[in-house]
Coordinates of all heavy atoms in Angstrom, one line a residue:
M16 N 0.8 -1.2 0.0 CA 0.0 0.0 0.0 C 0.9 1.3 0.0 O 0.5 2.2 -0.6 CB -0.9 0.0 1.2 CG -1.8 1.2 1.3 SD -3.4 0.8 1.9 CE -4.0 2.4 2.1
N17 N 2.0 1.2 0.7 CA 2.9 2.3 0.7 C 3.4 2.6 -0.7 O 3.6 3.8 -1.0 CB 4.1 2.1 1.6 CG 3.7 2.0 3.1 OD1 2.6 2.6 3.4 ND2 4.5 1.4 3.9
A18 N 3.6 1.6 -1.6 CA 4.1 1.9 -2.9 C 3.0 2.6 -3.7 O 3.3 3.4 -4.5 CB 4.4 0.5 -3.6
M19 N 1.7 2.2 -3.5 CA 0.6 2.9 -4.2 C 0.5 4.3 -3.8 O 0.3 5.2 -4.6 CB -0.7 2.1 -3.9 CG -1.9 2.7 -4.7 SD -3.4 1.8 -4.4 CE -3.9 2.5 -2.9
L20 N 0.6 4.6 -2.5 CA 0.6 6.0 -2.0 C 1.8 6.8 -2.5 O 1.7 7.9 -2.8 CB 0.5 6.0 -0.5 CG -0.8 5.4 0.1 CD1 -0.7 5.4 1.6 CD2 -2.0 6.1 -0.3
A21 N 2.9 6.1 -2.6 CA 4.1 6.8 -3.1 C 4.0 7.2 -4.6 O 4.5 8.2 -5.0 CB 5.3 5.9 -2.9
A22 N 3.2 6.3 -5.3 CA 3.0 6.6 -6.7 C 2.2 7.9 -6.9 O 2.4 8.6 -7.9 CB 2.3 5.4 -7.4
F23 N 1.3 8.2 -6.0 CA 0.5 9.4 -6.0 C 1.2 10.6 -5.3 O 0.7 11.7 -5.3 CB -0.9 9.2 -5.4 CG -1.7 8.2 -6.2 CD1 -2.0 7.0 -5.8 CD2 -2.2 8.6 -7.5 CE1 -2.8 6.1 -6.5 CE2 -3.0 7.8 -8.2 CZ -3.3 6.5 -7.8
G24 N 2.3 10.3 -4.7 CA 3.1 11.4 -4.0 C 2.4 11.7 -2.7 O 2.5 12.9 -2.2
L25 N 1.7 10.8 -2.0 CA 1.1 11.1 -0.8 C 1.9 10.6 0.4 O 2.4 9.4 0.4 CB -0.3 10.4 -0.7 CG -1.3 10.9 -1.8 CD1 -2.6 10.1 -1.7 CD2 -1.6 12.4 -1.6
G26 N 2.0 11.4 1.4 CA 2.7 11.0 2.6 C 1.7 10.6 3.7 O 0.5 10.6 3.4
G27 N 2.2 10.4 4.9 CA 1.3 10.0 6.0 C 0.3 11.1 6.4 O -0.8 10.8 6.6
M28 N 0.8 12.3 6.4 CA -0.1 13.4 6.8 C -1.2 13.7 5.8 O -2.3 14.0 6.2 CB 0.8 14.7 7.0 CG 0.1 15.7 7.8 SD -0.2 15.1 9.4 CE -1.0 16.5 10.1
E29 N -0.9 13.5 4.5 CA -1.9 13.8 3.5 C -3.0 12.7 3.6 O -4.1 13.0 3.4 CB -1.3 13.8 2.1 CG -0.4 15.0 1.8 CD 1.0 14.8 2.2 OE1 1.4 13.8 2.7 OE2 1.8 15.8 2.0
V30 N -2.6 11.4 3.8 CA -3.6 10.4 4.0 C -4.5 10.6 5.1 O -5.7 10.4 5.0 CB -2.8 9.0 4.1 CG1 -3.8 7.9 4.4 CG2 -2.1 8.7 2.8
I31 N -3.9 11.0 6.3 CA -4.7 11.3 7.5 C -5.7 12.5 7.2 O -6.9 12.4 7.6 CB -3.8 11.6 8.7 CG1 -3.1 10.4 9.1 CG2 -4.6 12.2 9.8 CD1 -2.0 10.6 10.1
L32 N -5.2 13.5 6.5 CA -6.1 14.6 6.1 C -7.2 14.2 5.2 O -8.4 14.6 5.4 CB -5.2 15.7 5.5 CG -6.0 17.0 5.1 CD1 -6.5 17.7 6.3 CD2 -5.1 17.9 4.3
I33 N -6.9 13.4 4.2 CA -8.0 12.9 3.3 C -9.0 12.0 4.1 O -10.2 12.2 3.9 CB -7.4 12.1 2.2 CG1 -6.6 13.0 1.3 CG2 -8.4 11.3 1.4 CD1 -5.7 12.3 0.2
L34 N -8.6 11.2 5.0 CA -9.5 10.3 5.8 C -10.3 11.2 6.7 O -11.5 11.0 6.9 CB -8.7 9.3 6.6 CG -8.0 8.2 5.8 CD1 -7.2 7.3 6.7 CD2 -9.1 7.4 5.0
A35 N -9.8 12.3 7.3 CA -10.5 13.2 8.1 C -11.6 13.9 7.3 O -12.8 14.1 7.8 CB -9.6 14.2 8.8
V36 N -11.3 14.4 6.1 CA -12.3 15.0 5.3 C -13.4 14.1 4.9 O -14.6 14.5 4.9 CB -11.6 15.6 4.0 CG1 -12.6 16.1 3.0 CG2 -10.6 16.8 4.4
V37 N -13.1 12.9 4.5 CA -14.1 11.9 4.2 C -15.0 11.6 5.4 O -16.2 11.5 5.3 CB -13.4 10.5 3.7 CG1 -14.4 9.4 3.6 CG2 -12.8 10.8 2.4
L38 N -14.4 11.5 6.6 CA -15.2 11.3 7.8 C -16.1 12.5 8.1 O -17.3 12.3 8.4 CB -14.2 11.1 9.0 CG -14.9 10.8 10.3 CD1 -15.6 9.4 10.3 CD2 -13.8 10.7 11.4
I39 N -15.6 13.7 7.9 CA -16.5 14.9 8.1 C -17.6 14.9 7.1 O -18.8 15.2 7.4 CB -15.6 16.1 8.1 CG1 -14.7 16.2 9.3 CG2 -16.5 17.4 8.0 CD1 -13.7 17.2 9.3
L40 N -17.3 14.6 5.8 CA -18.3 14.8 4.7 C -19.4 13.7 4.8 O -20.6 14.0 4.7 CB -17.6 14.7 3.4 CG -16.8 15.9 2.9 CD1 -16.1 15.6 1.6 CD2 -17.7 17.1 2.8
F41 N -19.0 12.5 5.1 CA -20.0 11.4 5.0 C -20.5 10.9 6.4 O -21.5 10.3 6.5 CB -19.4 10.2 4.2 CG -19.1 10.5 2.8 CD1 -17.8 10.6 2.4 CD2 -20.2 10.7 1.9 CE1 -17.6 10.9 1.0 CE2 -19.9 11.0 0.6 CZ -18.6 11.1 0.2
G42 N -19.8 11.2 7.4 CA -20.2 10.7 8.7 C -19.7 9.3 9.0 O -19.5 8.5 8.1
A43 N -19.7 8.9 10.3 CA -19.2 7.6 10.7 C -20.1 6.5 10.3 O -19.7 5.4 10.1 CB -18.9 7.6 12.2
K44 N -21.4 6.8 10.2 CA -22.4 5.7 9.9 C -22.4 5.4 8.4 O -22.8 4.3 8.0 CB -23.8 6.1 10.4 CG -23.8 6.1 11.9 CD -25.3 6.3 12.4 CE -25.3 6.2 13.9 NZ -26.6 6.3 14.4
K45 N -22.1 6.4 7.6 CA -22.2 6.2 6.2 C -21.0 5.5 5.5 O -21.1 4.9 4.5 CB -22.4 7.6 5.5 CG -23.0 7.6 4.2 CD -24.5 7.2 4.3 CE -25.2 7.5 3.0 NZ -26.5 7.0 2.9
I46 N -19.8 5.7 6.2 CA -18.6 5.1 5.6 C -18.7 3.6 5.4 O -18.3 3.1 4.4 CB -17.4 5.6 6.4 CG1 -17.2 7.1 6.3 CG2 -16.1 4.8 6.0 CD1 -16.1 7.7 7.1
P47 N -19.1 2.8 6.4 CA -19.2 1.4 6.1 C -20.2 1.0 5.0 O -19.9 0.1 4.2 CB -19.7 0.8 7.4 CG -19.4 1.8 8.5 CD -19.4 3.1 7.8
E48 N -21.2 1.8 4.8 CA -22.2 1.5 3.7 C -21.5 1.8 2.4 O -21.6 1.1 1.4 CB -23.4 2.4 3.8 CG -24.3 2.0 5.0 CD -25.4 2.9 5.2 OE1 -25.8 3.6 4.3 OE2 -26.0 2.9 6.3
L49 N -20.7 2.9 2.3 CA -20.0 3.2 1.1 C -18.9 2.2 0.8 O -18.8 1.8 -0.4 CB -19.3 4.6 1.3 CG -20.2 5.8 1.3 CD1 -19.4 7.1 1.7 CD2 -21.0 6.0 0.0
A50 N -18.2 1.7 1.8 CA -17.2 0.7 1.6 C -17.8 -0.6 1.1 O -17.3 -1.3 0.2 CB -16.4 0.4 2.9
K51 N -19.0 -1.0 1.7 CA -19.7 -2.2 1.2 C -20.1 -2.1 -0.2 O -20.0 -3.0 -1.0 CB -20.9 -2.4 2.1 CG -21.7 -3.7 1.8 CD -22.8 -3.9 2.8 CE -23.6 -5.1 2.5 NZ -24.8 -5.3 3.3
G52 N -20.7 -0.9 -0.6 CA -21.1 -0.7 -2.0 C -19.9 -0.7 -2.9 O -20.0 -1.3 -4.0
L53 N -18.8 -0.1 -2.5 CA -17.6 -0.1 -3.3 C -17.1 -1.6 -3.5 O -16.7 -2.0 -4.6 CB -16.5 0.7 -2.7 CG -15.2 0.9 -3.5 CD1 -15.5 1.6 -4.8 CD2 -14.2 1.7 -2.6
G54 N -17.1 -2.3 -2.4 CA -16.6 -3.7 -2.5 C -17.5 -4.6 -3.4 O -17.0 -5.4 -4.2
S55 N -18.8 -4.4 -3.3 CA -19.7 -5.2 -4.2 C -19.6 -4.8 -5.6 O -19.7 -5.6 -6.5 CB -21.1 -5.1 -3.7 OG -21.6 -3.8 -3.8
G56 N -19.3 -3.5 -5.9 CA -19.1 -3.0 -7.2 C -17.8 -3.6 -7.8 O -17.8 -4.0 -9.0
I57 N -16.8 -3.7 -7.1 CA -15.5 -4.3 -7.5 C -15.7 -5.7 -7.8 O -15.2 -6.3 -8.8 CB -14.4 -4.0 -6.5 CG1 -14.0 -2.5 -6.5 CG2 -13.2 -4.8 -6.9 CD1 -13.1 -2.1 -5.4
K58 N -16.5 -6.4 -6.9 CA -16.7 -7.8 -7.1 C -17.5 -8.1 -8.4 O -17.2 -9.0 -9.2 CB -17.5 -8.4 -5.9 CG -17.8 -9.8 -5.9 CD -18.6 -10.2 -4.7 CE -19.0 -11.7 -4.7 NZ -19.8 -12.1 -3.6
E59 N -18.5 -7.3 -8.7 CA -19.3 -7.5 -9.9 C -18.5 -7.2 -11.1 O -18.6 -7.9 -12.2 CB -20.5 -6.5 -9.9 CG -21.6 -6.9 -8.9 CD -22.3 -8.2 -9.4 OE1 -22.5 -8.4 -10.6 OE2 -22.6 -9.1 -8.5
F60 N -17.6 -6.2 -11.0 CA -16.7 -5.9 -12.2 C -15.8 -7.0 -12.5 O -15.6 -7.4 -13.6 CB -15.9 -4.6 -11.8 CG -15.0 -4.2 -13.0 CD1 -15.5 -3.6 -14.1 CD2 -13.6 -4.4 -12.9 CE1 -14.6 -3.2 -15.1 CE2 -12.8 -4.0 -13.9 CZ -13.3 -3.4 -15.0
K61 N -15.2 -7.6 -11.4 CA -14.3 -8.7 -11.6 C -15.0 -9.9 -12.2 O -14.5 -10.6 -13.1 CB -13.6 -9.1 -10.3 CG -12.5 -8.2 -9.9 CD -11.8 -8.7 -8.6 CE -10.7 -7.7 -8.2 NZ -10.1 -8.2 -7.0
K62 N -16.2 -10.1 -11.8 CA -17.0 -11.3 -12.3 C -17.4 -11.0 -13.7 O -17.2 -12.0 -14.6 CB -18.3 -11.4 -11.5 CG -19.3 -12.5 -11.9 CD -20.5 -12.5 -11.1 CE -21.5 -13.5 -11.6 NZ -22.8 -13.4 -10.9
A63 N -17.7 -9.8 -14.1 CA -18.0 -9.5 -15.5 C -16.8 -9.7 -16.4 O -16.9 -10.2 -17.5 CB -18.6 -8.1 -15.6
T64 N -15.7 -9.2 -16.0 CA -14.5 -9.3 -16.8 C -14.0 -10.8 -16.9 O -13.6 -11.2 -18.0 CB -13.3 -8.5 -16.2 OG1 -13.1 -8.9 -14.8 CG2 -13.6 -7.0 -16.3
K65 N -14.2 -11.6 -15.9 CA -13.9 -13.0 -16.0 C -14.8 -13.7 -16.9 O -14.4 -14.5 -17.7 CB -14.0 -13.7 -14.6 CG -13.6 -15.1 -14.6 CD -13.7 -15.7 -13.2 CE -13.3 -17.1 -13.1 NZ -13.7 -18.0 -14.1
E66 N -16.1 -13.4 -16.9 CA -17.1 -14.0 -17.9 C -16.7 -13.6 -19.3 O -16.8 -14.5 -20.2 CB -18.5 -13.5 -17.6 CG -19.1 -14.1 -16.3 CD -20.5 -13.5 -16.0 OE1 -20.9 -12.6 -16.7 OE2 -21.0 -14.0 -15.0
V67 N -16.3 -12.4 -19.5 CA -16.0 -11.9 -20.9 C -14.7 -12.7 -21.4 O -14.6 -13.2 -22.5 CB -15.8 -10.4 -21.0 CG1 -15.1 -10.0 -22.3 CG2 -17.1 -9.7 -20.8
T68 N -13.7 -12.8 -20.5 CA -12.5 -13.4 -20.9 C -12.7 -14.9 -21.1 O -12.1 -15.5 -22.1 CB -11.3 -13.2 -19.9 OG1 -11.8 -13.6 -18.6 CG2 -10.9 -11.8 -19.8
D69 N -13.6 -15.5 -20.3 CA -13.9 -16.9 -20.5 C -14.6 -17.1 -21.8 O -14.4 -18.1 -22.6 CB -14.8 -17.5 -19.4 CG -14.0 -17.7 -18.1 OD1 -12.7 -17.6 -18.1 OD2 -14.6 -17.8 -17.0
E70 N -15.5 -16.2 -22.2 CA -16.3 -16.3 -23.4 C -15.4 -16.2 -24.6 O -15.5 -16.9 -25.6 CB -17.4 -15.2 -23.4 CG -18.3 -15.3 -24.7 CD -19.2 -16.5 -24.7 OE1 -19.5 -17.0 -23.6 OE2 -19.5 -16.9 -25.8
I71 N -14.4 -15.2 -24.5 CA -13.5 -15.1 -25.6 C -12.6 -16.3 -25.8 O -12.4 -16.8 -26.9 CB -12.6 -13.8 -25.4 CG1 -13.4 -12.5 -25.5 CG2 -11.4 -13.8 -26.3 CD1 -12.7 -11.3 -25.1
H72 N -12.2 -16.9 -24.6 CA -11.3 -18.1 -24.7 C -12.1 -19.2 -25.3 O -11.6 -20.0 -26.1 CB -10.8 -18.4 -23.3 CG -10.0 -19.6 -23.2 ND1 -8.7 -19.7 -23.8 CD2 -10.2 -20.9 -22.7 CE1 -8.2 -20.9 -23.6 NE2 -9.1 -21.6 -23.0
N73 N -13.4 -19.4 -24.9 CA -14.2 -20.5 -25.4 C -14.5 -20.3 -26.9 O -14.5 -21.3 -27.6 CB -15.5 -20.6 -24.6 CG -15.3 -21.1 -23.2 OD1 -14.3 -21.7 -22.9 ND2 -16.2 -20.8 -22.3
T74 N -14.7 -19.1 -27.3 CA -14.9 -18.8 -28.7 C -13.7 -19.2 -29.5 O -13.8 -19.7 -30.6 CB -15.3 -17.3 -28.9 OG1 -16.4 -17.0 -28.1 CG2 -15.6 -17.1 -30.4
D75 N -12.5 -18.8 -29.1 CA -11.3 -19.1 -29.8 C -11.1 -20.6 -29.9 O -10.7 -21.1 -31.0 CB -10.1 -18.5 -29.1 CG -10.0 -17.0 -29.3 OD1 -10.7 -16.5 -30.2 OD2 -9.3 -16.4 -28.5
T76 N -11.3 -21.4 -28.9 CA -11.1 -22.8 -28.9 C -12.2 -23.5 -29.8 O -11.9 -24.5 -30.5 CB -11.1 -23.4 -27.5 OG1 -12.3 -23.1 -26.9 CG2 -10.0 -22.9 -26.7
T77 N -13.4 -23.1 -29.7 CA -14.5 -23.7 -30.5 C -14.3 -23.4 -32.0 O -14.6 -24.2 -32.8 CB -15.9 -23.4 -30.0 OG1 -16.0 -21.9 -30.0 CG2 -16.1 -23.9 -28.6
S78 N -13.9 -22.2 -32.3 CA -13.8 -21.8 -33.7 C -12.6 -22.5 -34.4 O -12.7 -22.8 -35.6 CB -13.6 -20.3 -33.8 OG -12.4 -19.9 -33.3
S79 N -11.6 -22.8 -33.7 CA -10.4 -23.5 -34.3 C -10.7 -25.0 -34.4 O -10.1 -25.6 -35.2 CB -9.2 -23.2 -33.5 OG -9.3 -23.8 -32.2
A80 N -11.7 -25.5 -33.6 CA -12.0 -26.9 -33.7 C -13.0 -27.3 -34.8 O -13.0 -28.4 -35.2 CB -12.5 -27.4 -32.3
T81 N -13.7 -26.3 -35.2 CA -14.7 -26.6 -36.3 C -14.0 -26.7 -37.6 O -13.0 -26.0 -37.9 CB -15.8 -25.5 -36.3 OG1 -15.2 -24.2 -36.5 CG2 -16.6 -25.4 -35.0
T82 N -14.6 -27.4 -38.5 CA -14.1 -27.5 -39.9 C -14.6 -26.4 -40.7 O -15.8 -26.0 -40.6 CB -14.5 -28.9 -40.5 OG1 -15.9 -29.0 -40.5 CG2 -13.9 -30.0 -39.7
V83 N -13.8 -25.9 -41.6 CA -14.2 -24.8 -42.4 C -14.5 -25.4 -43.8 O -13.8 -26.1 -44.4 CB -13.0 -23.8 -42.6 CG1 -13.4 -22.7 -43.5 CG2 -12.6 -23.3 -41.2
T84 N -15.7 -25.0 -44.3 CA -16.1 -25.5 -45.6 C -15.5 -24.6 -46.7 O -15.3 -23.4 -46.5 CB -17.7 -25.4 -45.8 OG1 -18.1 -24.1 -45.5 CG2 -18.3 -26.3 -44.8
P85 N -15.1 -25.2 -47.8 CA -14.5 -24.4 -48.8 C -15.5 -23.5 -49.5 O -16.7 -23.7 -49.6 CB -14.0 -25.4 -49.8 CG -14.8 -26.7 -49.6 CD -15.1 -26.6 -48.1
V86 N -15.0 -22.3 -49.9 CA -15.8 -21.3 -50.5 C -16.0 -21.7 -52.0 O -15.1 -22.1 -52.7 CB -15.1 -19.9 -50.4 CG1 -16.0 -18.9 -51.1 CG2 -14.9 -19.6 -49.0
Q87 N -17.3 -21.6 -52.4 CA -17.5 -21.9 -53.9 C -17.2 -20.7 -54.7 O -17.6 -19.6 -54.3 CB -19.0 -22.3 -54.0 CG -19.4 -23.6 -53.4 CD -20.9 -23.9 -53.6 OE1 -21.6 -23.0 -54.0 NE2 -21.2 -25.1 -53.3
K88 N -16.5 -20.9 -55.8 CA -16.2 -19.8 -56.7 C -17.3 -19.6 -57.7 O -17.9 -20.5 -58.2 CB -14.9 -20.1 -57.4 CG -13.7 -20.0 -56.5 CD -12.4 -20.1 -57.3 CE -11.2 -19.9 -56.4 NZ -10.0 -19.7 -57.2
L89 N -17.6 -18.3 -57.9 CA -18.6 -18.0 -58.9 C -18.0 -17.9 -60.3 O -16.8 -17.7 -60.4 CB -19.2 -16.6 -58.5 CG -20.0 -16.6 -57.2 CD1 -20.4 -15.1 -56.9 CD2 -21.2 -17.5 -57.2
P90 N -18.8 -18.2 -61.3 CA -18.2 -18.1 -62.7 C -17.8 -16.6 -62.9 O -18.4 -15.7 -62.4 CB -19.3 -18.5 -63.6 CG -20.6 -18.4 -62.8 CD -20.2 -18.5 -61.4
P91 N -16.8 -16.4 -63.8 CA -16.3 -15.1 -64.0 C -17.4 -14.3 -64.8 O -18.2 -14.8 -65.5 CB -15.1 -15.3 -64.9 CG -15.2 -16.6 -65.5 CD -16.0 -17.4 -64.5
V92 N -17.4 -13.0 -64.5 CA -18.3 -12.1 -65.2 C -17.9 -11.8 -66.6 O -16.7 -11.5 -66.8 CB -18.5 -10.8 -64.4 CG1 -19.4 -9.8 -65.1 CG2 -18.9 -11.0 -63.0
N93 N -18.8 -12.0 -67.6 CA -18.5 -11.8 -69.0 C -18.6 -10.3 -69.2 O -19.6 -9.7 -69.4 CB -19.4 -12.6 -69.8 CG -18.9 -12.6 -71.3 OD1 -17.9 -11.9 -71.6 ND2 -19.7 -13.3 -72.1
T94 N -17.4 -9.6 -69.3 CA -17.4 -8.2 -69.6 C -17.5 -7.8 -71.0 O -17.7 -6.7 -71.4 CB -16.1 -7.5 -69.0 OG1 -15.0 -8.2 -69.5 CG2 -16.1 -7.7 -67.5
T95 N -17.3 -8.8 -71.9 CA -17.3 -8.6 -73.3 C -18.7 -8.7 -73.9 O -18.9 -8.5 -75.1 CB -16.3 -9.5 -74.1 OG1 -16.7 -10.9 -73.8 CG2 -14.9 -9.3 -73.6
A96 N -19.6 -9.1 -73.1 CA -21.0 -9.3 -73.7 C -21.6 -7.9 -74.1 O -21.3 -6.9 -73.5 CB -21.9 -9.9 -72.6
Q97 N -22.4 -7.9 -75.1 CA -23.0 -6.7 -75.6 C -24.0 -6.2 -74.6 O -24.8 -6.9 -74.0 CB -23.7 -6.9 -76.9 CG -22.7 -7.2 -78.0 CD -23.4 -7.4 -79.3 OE1 -24.6 -7.2 -79.4 NE2 -22.6 -7.7 -80.4
S98 N -23.9 -4.9 -74.3 CA -24.9 -4.3 -73.4 C -26.2 -4.0 -74.2 O -26.2 -3.9 -75.4 CB -24.3 -3.1 -72.8 OG -24.0 -2.1 -73.8
Q99 N -27.3 -3.8 -73.5 CA -28.5 -3.5 -74.1 C -28.5 -2.1 -74.7 O -27.8 -1.2 -74.1 CB -29.6 -3.6 -73.1 CG -29.9 -4.9 -72.5 CD -31.0 -5.0 -71.5 OE1 -31.6 -4.0 -71.2 NE2 -31.3 -6.2 -71.1
P100 N -29.1 -1.9 -75.9 CA -29.0 -0.6 -76.5 C -29.8 0.4 -75.7 O -30.8 0.1 -75.1 CB -29.7 -0.8 -77.9 CG -30.5 -2.1 -77.7 CD -29.8 -2.9 -76.6
Q101 N -29.2 1.6 -75.7 CA -29.8 2.7 -74.9 C -30.8 3.5 -75.8 O -30.6 3.6 -77.0 CB -28.7 3.7 -74.4 CG -27.7 3.1 -73.5 CD -28.3 2.8 -72.2 OE1 -29.2 3.4 -71.7 NE2 -27.8 1.7 -71.5
P102 N -31.9 3.9 -75.3 CA -32.9 4.7 -76.1 C -32.3 6.0 -76.5 O -31.4 6.5 -75.8 CB -34.1 4.8 -75.2 CG -33.6 4.7 -73.8 CD -32.4 3.7 -73.9
P103 N -32.7 6.6 -77.6 CA -32.1 7.8 -78.0 C -32.5 8.9 -77.1 O -33.6 8.9 -76.5 CB -32.7 8.1 -79.4 CG -33.9 7.2 -79.5 CD -33.7 6.0 -78.6
E104 N -31.7 9.9 -76.9 CA -32.0 11.0 -76.0 C -33.0 11.9 -76.7 O -32.9 12.2 -77.9 CB -30.7 11.8 -75.7 CG -29.7 11.0 -74.9 CD -28.5 11.9 -74.6 OE1 -28.6 13.2 -74.6 OE2 -27.4 11.3 -74.4
T105 N -33.9 12.4 -75.9 CA -34.9 13.4 -76.4 C -34.7 14.7 -75.7 O -34.5 14.7 -74.4 CB -36.3 12.8 -76.1 OG1 -36.5 12.6 -74.8 CG2 -36.6 11.5 -76.9
K106 N -34.8 15.7 -76.4 CA -34.7 17.1 -75.8 C -36.1 17.7 -75.7 O -36.8 17.6 -76.7 CB -33.8 17.9 -76.7 CG -32.3 17.5 -76.7 CD -31.5 18.4 -77.4 CE -30.0 17.9 -77.4 NZ -29.1 18.8 -78.1
V107 N -36.3 18.3 -74.6 CA -37.6 19.0 -74.4 C -37.3 20.5 -74.7 O -36.4 21.1 -74.2 CB -38.1 18.8 -73.0 CG1 -39.4 19.6 -72.7 CG2 -38.2 17.4 -72.7
I108 N -38.2 21.0 -75.5 CA -38.0 22.5 -75.9 C -39.0 23.3 -75.2 O -40.1 23.1 -74.9 CB -38.2 22.7 -77.4 CG1 -37.1 21.8 -78.1 CG2 -38.1 24.1 -77.8 CD1 -37.2 21.9 -79.6

């Protein structure tokens, strides 16, 4: 935890000051509720990320195990065929 606080440049006095401000703003009864909500939110986030990574892993393994059918080639387009004649242009006066 000290390494995390050091990364933010916080010392012991700053941490105590932040905790005091949180205590004043939210009160002693509200802090456990906030911590519980934060913990359940983190738990749900970890569960969701685990489900996504499992789904991606399962998709990769099932897609490589299936056989791929060959693609049928279409006949080439005949570009030398005569096009239909265009009607003559009419001018409106």
Side-chain angles (χ1 to χ4, degrees):
M16 178 144 174
N17 290 338
M19 185 177 78
L20 295 176
F23 292 112
L25 297 176
M28 195 62 181
E29 288 90 1
V30 172
I31 292 172
L32 181 65
I33 291 171
L34 291 175
V36 170
V37 169
L38 183 64
I39 291 170
L40 289 176
F41 296 108
K44 292 187 178 185
K45 201 69 164 171
I46 291 177
E48 294 175 18
L49 292 172
K51 184 179 178 182
L53 182 64
S55 64
I57 291 172
K58 181 180 175 182
E59 288 293 321
F60 181 75
K61 285 183 179 181
K62 180 181 173 186
T64 54
K65 184 179 182 316
E66 288 176 357
V67 169
T68 53
D69 288 346
E70 183 68 28
I71 291 171
H72 179 69
N73 289 340
T74 303
D75 287 343
T76 57
T77 58
S78 65
S79 63
T81 59
T82 58
V83 178
T84 58
V86 178
Q87 294 179 346
K88 289 190 174 186
L89 296 175
V92 178
N93 191 357
T94 57
T95 58
Q97 293 181 3
S98 62
Q99 295 181 355
Q101 299 291 328
E104 292 184 25
T105 56
K106 294 184 180 180
V107 178
I108 299 177

